[in-house]
Amino acid sequence: MVNRRIAEILRSGQAEEVIKIQGWVRTKRESKGFSFIEVNDGSSLASLQVIINQDVPDYEASLKKINTGASVEVSGVIVPSLGKGQRIELKAQTVQVYGEADPETYPLQKKRHSFEFLRTIGHLRSRTNSFGAVFRVRNACATAVHQFFQERGFMWVHTPIITASDCEGAGELFSVTSLNLKDIPRTPENNIDYSQDFFAKPTYLTVSGQLEAEVMAMAFSNVYTFGPTFRAENSNTSRHLAEFWMIEPEMAFCDLQGDMDLAEAFLKHIFKYVLEKCPEDMEFFNQRIDNTVLSTAENIIHNQFERITYTEAIKLLETADVQFEYPVSWGLDLQSEHERYLSEQLFKKPTIVTDYPAKIKAFYMRLNEDEQTVAAMDILAPKIGEIIGGSQREERLDVLERRVIAQGMQPQDLYWYLDLRRFGTVPHAGFGLGFERLVQFMTGMGNIRDVIPFPRTPQSAEF
């Protein structure tokens, strides 16, 4: 007898089918001569109700072992359900208990637990409805990412996790070393002697795979990265993680317009795919977490994104009938409250802001003809602010060298990056999307720590 996934059974199972399921018990109700248990295997939000009659072999002994959290295998026949809320149920013929769960100590009983409490039991929280739904949506998002790029002929490239480059000064870095921290070797000037370290130079966990993706785009035209990145920022907000996943496409022979078009199509594709593949989970989020989740998704799928320049955005913010906490003036970066005002209150849909001041953006962004702004773009989303950041890259060697020096960097440290402009340079563009930000936005979850299985945050690396 072949094991069947519960999602498939609930979707297409028919009366009189003989099946076998394996999963974990969510609830148990005992009556005289029979009992009901609900079994969930993680494949769907809904569980399958199982009827265990007293004529099942070892009924009494098995029932004592079957409590919330226990793992079981049940073989039986599908029957029409007489109860509300389910079309079918499983009438057990045999029941095997793989692992018991002590009801006195198992922390996930049938009641609502706070997300704060569930973070303390990260090894068990995936068994709850909320986190089961989160991680199924996360899986669907990841599938949709690859589908979107693969269907368009992009190559998935694996950029290094250990790197000697800071990319864009994106924040504090985690150092990677094999040196004995109790006895660090020193140079005569009392600096750390990196010549004795594993890589013979300072190395870090990557903050972005973009620079290496540009290398690959100069050979394969269209590429994308999808992997872990790291920031050693001592931030305990609901929007920051020390370890998170980034999606970074890079396109040769592409300008800012093409970059924006791809990013908009990308977000639309992801949301459409998840609504199709995880309707029950998304409905759950809409009912239990944020009642605008579905309308936000529909808004993204069916509306053309608003597009304005940074200069236009500043004018709109300066004349807005809103008291912002942070000042607004040309030359300052937009804060989350400004981004959310534009996308949430003013345009009421995702908004793409372009052509930011060069001084507040990274050295690799293409300098516009006014020499004051760069060909950059951010996509601002309701409720979360910036969700995608991208730009056309500077392909002119002389301009790039000038900008590298202006930002206090040494051109020789980026010789390989500059070589891309020496040998067959082309206009090219790309963007970056924090995967957890996307999942958080899609599900309405309030804290980014709740959309990644094992969050890494300051003073916390559990599980």
Side-chain angles (χ1 to χ4, degrees), residues 352-370:
I352 306 179
V353 179
T354 64
D355 303 303
Y356 284 80
K359 289 183 179 179
I360 62 173
K361 288 296 184 180
F363 71 91
Y364 54 74
M365 297 185 177
R366 193 181 201 277
L367 197 63
N368 288 329
E369 289 183 7
D370 60 14

Side-chain angles (χ1 to χ4, degrees), residues 12-13 28 60 75 161 208 254 280 304 344 402 451 454:
S12 58
K28 178 178 77 169
E60 294 293 342
S75 298
I161 289 175
S208 169
C254 182
E280 291 179 348
Q304 185 174 354
E344 246 172 80
R402 194 168 79 231
V451 297
F454 308 105

Side-chain angles (χ1 to χ4, degrees), residues 228-397:
T229 53
F230 307 85
R231 304 276 167 88
E233 296 175 3
N234 190 14
S235 176
N236 280 288
T237 76
S238 62
R239 290 164 50 88
H240 290 89
L241 291 166
E243 175 184 293
F244 56 98
W245 285 62
M246 282 279 283
I247 302 154
E248 296 175 295
E250 200 70 33
M251 297 82 70
F253 309 101
C254 182
D255 59 11
L256 185 63
Q257 183 68 40
D259 200 29
M260 290 190 288
D261 291 345
L262 188 84
E264 180 171 343
F266 174 72
L267 281 180
K268 290 177 184 293
H269 175 87
I270 302 293
F271 274 85
K272 186 171 185 292
Y273 182 91
V274 171
L275 285 186
E276 291 173 354
K277 296 297 181 181
C278 301
E280 291 179 348
D281 295 319
M282 292 299 288
E283 183 61 43
F284 171 84
F285 292 121
N286 203 68
Q287 290 181 2
R288 300 290 185 90
I289 305 297
D290 179 349
N291 64 9
T292 66
V293 160
L294 292 179
S295 60
T296 297
E298 295 292 342
N299 185 6
I300 285 175
I301 294 168
H302 299 296
N303 277 316
Q304 185 174 354
F305 293 7
E306 190 70 32
R307 300 187 182 191
I308 59 172
T309 66
Y310 168 88
T311 300
E312 291 168 339
I314 292 297
K315 289 178 181 177
L316 291 169
L317 291 166
E318 287 176 332
T319 58
D321 189 21
V322 175
Q323 189 66 41
F324 293 115
E325 180 182 352
Y326 292 94
V328 176
S329 66
W330 201 97
L332 296 179
D333 207 355
L334 299 182
Q335 300 297 317
S336 180
E337 61 175 339
H338 308 142
E339 296 168 342
R340 290 186 59 176
Y341 169 77
L342 293 169
S343 59
E344 246 172 80
Q345 299 181 46
L346 189 61
F347 296 115
K348 296 181 170 59
K349 61 181 179 178
T351 303
I352 306 179
V353 179
T354 64
D355 303 303
Y356 284 80
K359 289 183 179 179
I360 62 173
K361 288 296 184 180
F363 71 91
Y364 54 74
M365 297 185 177
R366 193 181 201 277
L367 197 63
N368 288 329
E369 289 183 7
D370 60 14
E371 298 220 342
Q372 298 298 312
T373 62
V374 288
M377 66 95 178
D378 287 343
I379 298 185
L380 315 180
K383 300 200 172 194
I384 201 167
E386 180 196 338
I387 192 168
I388 283 180
S391 72
Q392 184 172 339
R393 316 309 190 190
E394 184 55 78
E395 85 280 10
R396 298 164 295 185
L397 177 61

Side-chain angles (χ1 to χ4, degrees), residues 14-32:
Q14 298 298 318
E16 305 305 322
E17 282 187 72
V18 179
I19 62 170
K20 177 174 70 176
I21 64 168
Q22 296 165 330
W24 292 266
V25 176
R26 287 286 177 87
T27 63
K28 178 178 77 169
R29 290 181 290 125
E30 294 186 57
S31 296
K32 190 173 182 179

